[in-house]
Amino acid sequence: MNVMEIFETMEYGPAPEAAAPGLAWIKEHSPFSLFINNQWIKPASGQYIESINPATGKLLAKVAAANSADVDAAVAAARAAFETWSKTPGHVRARYLYAIARHIQKHSRLLAVLESLDNGKPIRETRDIDIPLVARHFYYHAGWAQLMESELPGYQPVGVVGQIIPWNFPLLMLAWKIAPALAMGNTVVLKPARYTSLTALKFAEIVQEIGLPPGVVNIVTGEASQVGEALVSHPDVNKIAFTGSTDVGRSIRRATAGSGKKLSLELGGKSPFIVFDDADLDSVVEGVVDAIWFNQGQVCCAGSRLLVQEDVAERLIEKLRVRMEHLRIGDPLDKAVDIGAIVSPGQLKEIQRLVNQGVEEGAVMWQPSWACPTEGYFFPPTLFTNVSPATTIAQVEIFGPVLVSMTFRTPAEAVDLANNTRYGLAASVWSENINLALDVAPKLKAGSVWINCTNLFDASSGFGGYRESGFGREGGKEGLYEYVRPKWETPDSSSKEFHIADDSASSNGSKSSLSMDEDTEDALQEEAFVSSNGHAPAFPVIDRTPKMFIGGKQARPDSGYSRDVYDLRGHVIGQVGEGNRKDIRNAVEAAHKASGWAFGTTHNRAQILYYIAENLSVREDEFAHRIVQQTGRSYEDATAEVQVSISRLFSYAAWADKFEGVVHRPPLRGAVLAMPEAIGVMGIACPDEYPLLGFISLVAPTISMGNTVIVIPSQQSPLSATDCYQVLETSDLPGGVVNIVTGDHDTLNQVLADHDDVDSMWYFGTAEGSKRVELASAGNMKRTWVNYGHPRDLMDSVQGEGEEFLREATQVKNIWIPYGE
Ligand code: NDP
């Protein structure tokens, strides 16, 4: 080919990166051992798994196949190391993390080559994206280790953390997991994906190199059924951090339910890429390339659904086809290659299966005219048009280089289409009109929203999902809270296994099991015979029947039944409705209808909370008597509970316009707005202790953040909560924001926890109730906050209110806004 021809075709030759240093390193170490307590240990099974180069299909290395005995050894090493590491000053931990970051940079090229060989991703990506982000993550978290004491006072490390990562960003996912864990003083046992362990093992060498104390980081390679499951069920692991498929995330949620293990899940996605008709279409095309052909589309937040405004759809699709024709696929070590290999034959087959299904379902498939290499596992970039939103390829995560496109007419239609998925990881919005983009961004149910950009990541900006994309954040300050717990919590309260069948402690008895002293008996006698004006009544008291409260209206129970409420002596003091599945359904519906509450001003929410406090204080005496009547506590004690409840309402009125986001400044020309948003519709099960304060302490933070709630009051003492609806009615609270359903706790909680239209559930009750809620939540992966039967002193302002509650009532959305011409 002569120069003239080159100018004509604009073709360029290969620019291969040398594989030799990577292959030499592998040869030196293979078969690889396990990294436990800073030592290389042969697997107990004596077995090894094969690591294949996806670009050739040939054997690359043999890696230890650990079993549960190895996991036990690694957890024991991590537990022993935790004793000292958790007490190591933040500055010292910061130095170690800083050293790791430096050594990642020193070995950056080797790491990039190893990652490409092992995973099949182009060297351009591993060299320019994965490895620099890994180093950045350790630098950033070195900073948090340094600042932990001053910036997270009142928090302590969780303990031993089990971390399970996928194959699509092997070293980057390791960094996202290990850096915050170590920064916050935890120790780690990490399981890499079976296809891609090599960079994690090189990382282990770095750990040795920098002299990190033994046992702080342990790397255990092997199969999911041997290593992953053993880690998840290990009784001495205090937290599981997982990234991978939604199905496995769901099984981990079920396996850890009731165990008290903290859990964060980064799961799948089907992210929308929304193009408005005023977008710069040439930039859009490059955006699409980055959204769906980056890492062969094997990206949890890949922009796999292209949603285009109808009037520019044809033009954009045409431009895309031209661009796709020029994409280069092939040897991942060639620096001129855009698309590398698919990680495994199994994954390749799955992509092909879904593409075939798309064709069968009537969508139109388009692929470039060129052919893929025949050696190794390659799949061409693929575009589907004529896709209907309900089809499999529009709903299921394909995890390959396959884009499905659909059209919309109006911004409202775009939002509906974008949110028409069970996932909620990320979204891209393309428009030259910043007003439109910033109007749409908050309406998208996704953890990250990129405006006129896509697939941007930085340690400073949290990443994580809404809905079935999981919960918890990685990166940013919010990511740190996944690795700490309040100091007042005792260590054994976080990792106890509860067995439903064996546990006899239950809230099923209608009559209270609390004991009563003589003073209390007297107090109750008095309550029974003295009316609120202090005189003996001349007539029988007029019957007051508390109803339920749904959609801003008092509602009779669907069942037509009532249940008796008893005082401590076993005397009936009233009745409440016997709520059932239908009442919960109506309440959930009403809560959804009231979702506009989240979009009102924070000033307005604060005003209403103050107003509720004001109206409660007018009836302070009556509420105190009600508490005495239900609990037998002294009047002074009950008055104190009412007063703390009023103060708590003030606290959350104060927080309503102060729990704000931050503006991150990642290394790009632009800013990232990290906004805490309401989670949506929340279920709340109140504790039996403190009938009024239990209700207020859980309802006030959730509604102050814009959620709408369905509350199940204390089963034993529900009357303080039902008395409250009159206070709510007179405080301008819009109907449906707070819904109260009374009845059997276990039955109602189960319905709420199972409900697919409930986004989050708080449960304060028994150990087995907590376990049931966590188990049921796996259905739609709703977020949960439960107390595992451990008491929390709500009268104490450290345990009973504050930012911990607000964080549990919100999820952070990161909106990326690049600027400049
Ligand atoms: P998995 O979710 O199966 O694997 C992710 C990690 O979890 C791996 O380390 C895996 O181990 C481990 N694991 C698997 N099952 C269990 C278990 N029961 N208990 C504990 N650990 C377990 O993803 P796959 O690799 O099988 O990919 C399947 C699909 O998942 C993809 O097609 C894609 O749709 C999705 N996926 C999503 C990712 C994301 O980032 N959101 C990442 C990867 C996949 P091992 O490797 O040994 O099997």
Side-chain angles (χ1 to χ4, degrees), residues 629-689:
Q629 186 191 29
Q630 294 173 104
T631 65
R633 297 195 340 247
S634 71
Y635 179 75
E636 290 69 33
D637 216 23
T639 306
E641 180 177 337
V642 182
Q643 283 167 354
V644 174
S645 300
I646 293 166
S647 158
R648 195 136 295 165
L649 285 160
F650 261 63
S651 291
Y652 290 111
W655 276 116
D657 54 7
K658 291 172 194 67
F659 190 68
E660 292 175 319
V662 286
V663 178
H664 295 304
R665 299 182 61 198
L668 104 149
R669 258 202 324 160
V672 178
L673 311 182
M675 306 196 321
E677 289 189 342
I679 298 176
V681 171
M682 296 182 62
I684 295 179
C686 297
D688 276 333
E689 308 88 45

Side-chain angles (χ1 to χ4, degrees), residues 379-434:
F379 198 88
T382 302
L383 170 66
F384 275 105
T385 49
N386 195 31
V387 177
S388 111
T391 50
T392 310
I393 53 168
Q395 291 293 334
V396 168
E397 181 179 45
I398 299 177
F399 227 62
V402 183
L403 180 67
V404 300
S405 72
M406 287 166 271
T407 57
F408 64 85
R409 288 181 191 167
T410 63
E413 217 178 287
V415 169
D416 283 349
L417 206 51
N419 288 337
N420 178 21
T421 165
R422 63 195 173 110
Y423 296 113
L425 202 49
S428 270
V429 180
W430 293 75
S431 167
E432 290 300 290
N433 178 352
I434 193 71

Side-chain angles (χ1 to χ4, degrees), residues 42 178 286 314 320 380 392 409 494 657 666 705 723 788 818:
K42 293 205 179 317
I178 290 185
E286 292 314 307
E314 217 169 292
L320 254 184
T392 310
R409 288 181 191 167
S494 61
D657 54 7
M705 293 296 105
D723 287 349
Y788 304 108

Side-chain angles (χ1 to χ4, degrees), residues 164-168 191-194 222-224 228-229 232 242-245 248 251 267-268 300 347 397 399:
I164 300 172
I165 56 171
W167 42 258
N168 54 345
K191 178 211 167 320
R194 60 155 300 166
E223 307 263 3
E229 290 181 18
V232 166
F242 170 82
T243 299
S245 60
V248 173
S251 76
L267 309 176
C300 47
Q347 188 66 20
E397 181 179 45
F399 227 62

Side-chain angles (χ1 to χ4, degrees), residues 77 93 108 208 288 292 299 452 516 534 726 755:
R93 293 203 308 279
S108 62
Q208 268 183 324
V288 171
I292 187 66
V299 183
N452 293 327
M516 190 175 25
Q726 286 173 339
H755 205 300

